[in-house]
Amino acid sequence: MAMPADEAAVDFYFDFASPYAYFAHGALVALTRRHGLRLRYRPVLLWAILKELGLPPPLEHAAKRRYLLHDMERSAAYFGLPFRLPPGFPSSGLAAARLFHALEAQTPPAWSAGAGAFVEAVFRAGFIEGRDITDAAVLAEAVVAGGLTQQQTAAQPEAGKAALRQANADAVQRGVWGSPFWFHGGEGYFGADRLAQFERSLDLARFDRGAG
Amino acid sequence: MAMPADEAAVDFYFDFASPYAYFAHGALVALTRRHGLRLRYRPVLLWAILKELGLPPPLEHAAKRRYLLHDMERSAAYFGLPFRLPPGFPSSGLAAARLFHALEAQTPPAWSAGAGAFVEAVFRAGFIEGRDITDAAVLAEAVVAGGLTQQQTAAQPEAGKAALRQANADAVQRGVWGSPFWFHGGEGYFGADRLAQFERSLDLARFDRGAG
């Protein structure tokens, strides 16, 4: 049986500088593929969202910061993912997010296929190779990884400014207050540790539809 | 092979008014039993800890509150636990925590066996039966559930005041910033969603000791 329109997509709100977004990404790609869902990337700037909401950044307080830095290493091992904190962590996802939105606006057909590869390439550069994801050369490599030609990489991050601002506003309006945060069928999930609950809910929905 | 002393116990810091502490408790009891570990109960007052740390209460902000209230229902279903939010949620864990510490100080031998049953009875009253865990009659039932006689229930919550204050101070000193929060072998785990990582780590440690 066909799914309602709003259940055919997963909207994935995340900050490129968020390790937990990296941890969730590969699993979300696999899960959405397995269930025939479209993964819609919505890069945002977490600090701007938290500032607008009046919430403190997760790494601001010493006790939480100490815990989270250790939890990131432990969670990466738990998910079986390579990981190292980049020098100067946390970095800024601003340049990557603006570039993503600029590319999405300028090259829609090629881009919708390559967006996932771009996102994964940025995560790989930042969280596996310890490179600087604010560096234009690093981002240009991610664009190529996304299947766009050198010529197409001419998209200016500045062009994505308005789209990023809109994504942030949408995120706030939909109740996002952390990264990663994704929505499916009106239901929101915060954090890589909600992957198991999301997977269970998709499996149950498939069972309910008799698709076994 | 014998375990180092600090690895023979799990210190479980929690607030009696915390649904996620209730979700974690049964699994922690089962896990610690299976691995021959002692579960040491450390009831605390989360709001007092957060106030001392300068962190906002998790339910204070509207967006987080909306998400968490839904997440609690979903998480209970995920863990297969009965759950309903008590009227007037969040309640206060103060009376239950003071009583726990008073009983622990006054009746150590009987208590160490019954502490878990007391804790589970308070969670059951608050999160399954929708009763008021600040009510002395409700707490008296929990004391009986903990295996103490009516006479022993005469312990006054006030007597646990200093011990509770000490537990809160210990919690802050050890880096607790949420409920539930538990420690094993120097490692801290925050949240019912870290049960899977804790279980994996116990299984791996057993494997490393050659205990299969």
Side-chain angles (χ1 to χ4, degrees), chain A:
Chain A
M1 216 181 292
M3 279 174 288
D6 69 329
E7 294 200 359
V10 171
D11 290 343
F12 178 43
Y13 290 85
F14 68 100
D15 191 310
F16 278 105
S18 157
Y20 295 103
Y22 156 55
F23 301 156
H25 180 234
L28 281 176
V29 168
L31 262 179
T32 49
R33 271 191 200 151
R34 182 152 66 81
H35 287 271
L37 303 170
R38 190 177 152 216
L39 188 57
R40 285 196 293 226
Y41 291 94
R42 305 297 283 150
V44 291
L45 279 187
L46 182 59
W47 72 261
I49 289 172
L50 295 176
K51 195 179 165 192
E52 180 160 344
L53 293 174
L55 284 167
L59 296 167
E60 187 180 78
H61 193 283
K64 260 183 100 166
R65 181 184 174 88
R66 234 182 347 259
Y67 177 83
L68 290 173
L69 292 182
H70 177 65
D71 185 67
M72 288 166 192
E73 310 270 0
R74 192 171 62 193
S75 294
Y78 177 76
F79 289 119
L81 294 168
F83 175 68
R84 65 168 156 148
L85 273 186
F89 177 84
S91 183
S92 166
L94 177 65
R98 279 193 185 162
L99 179 56
F100 181 99
H101 286 290
L103 289 165
E104 186 173 66
Q106 290 173 27
T107 57
W111 189 242
S112 69
F118 172 86
V119 169
E120 193 56 29
V122 175
F123 284 147
R124 192 185 319 119
F127 296 125
I128 302 177
E129 297 162 3
R131 295 168 78 195
D132 178 4
I133 64 163
T134 68
D135 181 344
V138 170
L139 294 176
E141 282 179 41
V143 172
V144 173
L148 297 187
T149 62
Q150 288 294 342
Q151 203 178 359
Q152 287 167 311
T153 66
Q156 291 304 309
E158 287 295 316
K161 226 170 152 170
L164 172 57
R165 208 178 292 122
Q166 187 59 51
N168 264 24
D170 292 347
V172 168
Q173 194 268 323
R174 294 182 74 174
V176 170
W177 50 270
S179 167
F181 213 113
W182 65 93
F183 295 90
H184 177 243
E187 186 107 356
Y189 297 86
F190 165 60
D193 37 45
R194 284 297 173 275
L195 283 165
Q197 292 194 23
F198 181 47
E199 179 166 19
R200 169 102 50 104
S201 125
L202 289 177
D203 286 342
L204 287 174
R206 171 174 283 186
F207 181 80
D208 288 344
R209 285 195 312 276

Side-chain angles (χ1 to χ4, degrees), chain B residues 72-114:
Chain B
M72 287 165 192
E73 310 270 0
R74 194 170 61 194
S75 294
Y78 178 76
F79 290 119
L81 295 168
F83 175 67
R84 64 166 156 151
L85 275 185
F89 175 82
S91 184
S92 165
L94 178 65
R98 278 193 184 161
L99 179 56
F100 181 99
H101 286 290
L103 289 165
E104 186 174 65
Q106 290 173 27
T107 56
W111 189 241
S112 69

Side-chain angles (χ1 to χ4, degrees), chain B residues 38-91:
Chain B
R38 189 177 152 215
L39 188 57
R40 285 196 292 227
Y41 292 94
R42 306 295 285 148
V44 291
L45 279 187
L46 181 60
W47 71 261
I49 289 173
L50 294 176
K51 194 178 167 195
E52 179 160 345
L53 293 174
L55 284 167
L59 296 167
E60 186 181 79
H61 193 284
K64 261 183 99 166
R65 183 185 173 89
R66 233 180 351 257
Y67 176 83
L68 290 173
L69 291 182
H70 178 64
D71 185 67
M72 287 165 192
E73 310 270 0
R74 194 170 61 194
S75 294
Y78 178 76
F79 290 119
L81 295 168
F83 175 67
R84 64 166 156 151
L85 275 185
F89 175 82
S91 184

Side-chain angles (χ1 to χ4, degrees), chain B residues 170-192:
Chain B
D170 292 347
V172 168
Q173 194 267 324
R174 293 183 74 174
V176 170
W177 51 272
S179 167
F181 213 113
W182 66 93
F183 294 89
H184 176 244
E187 186 106 357
Y189 297 86
F190 164 60

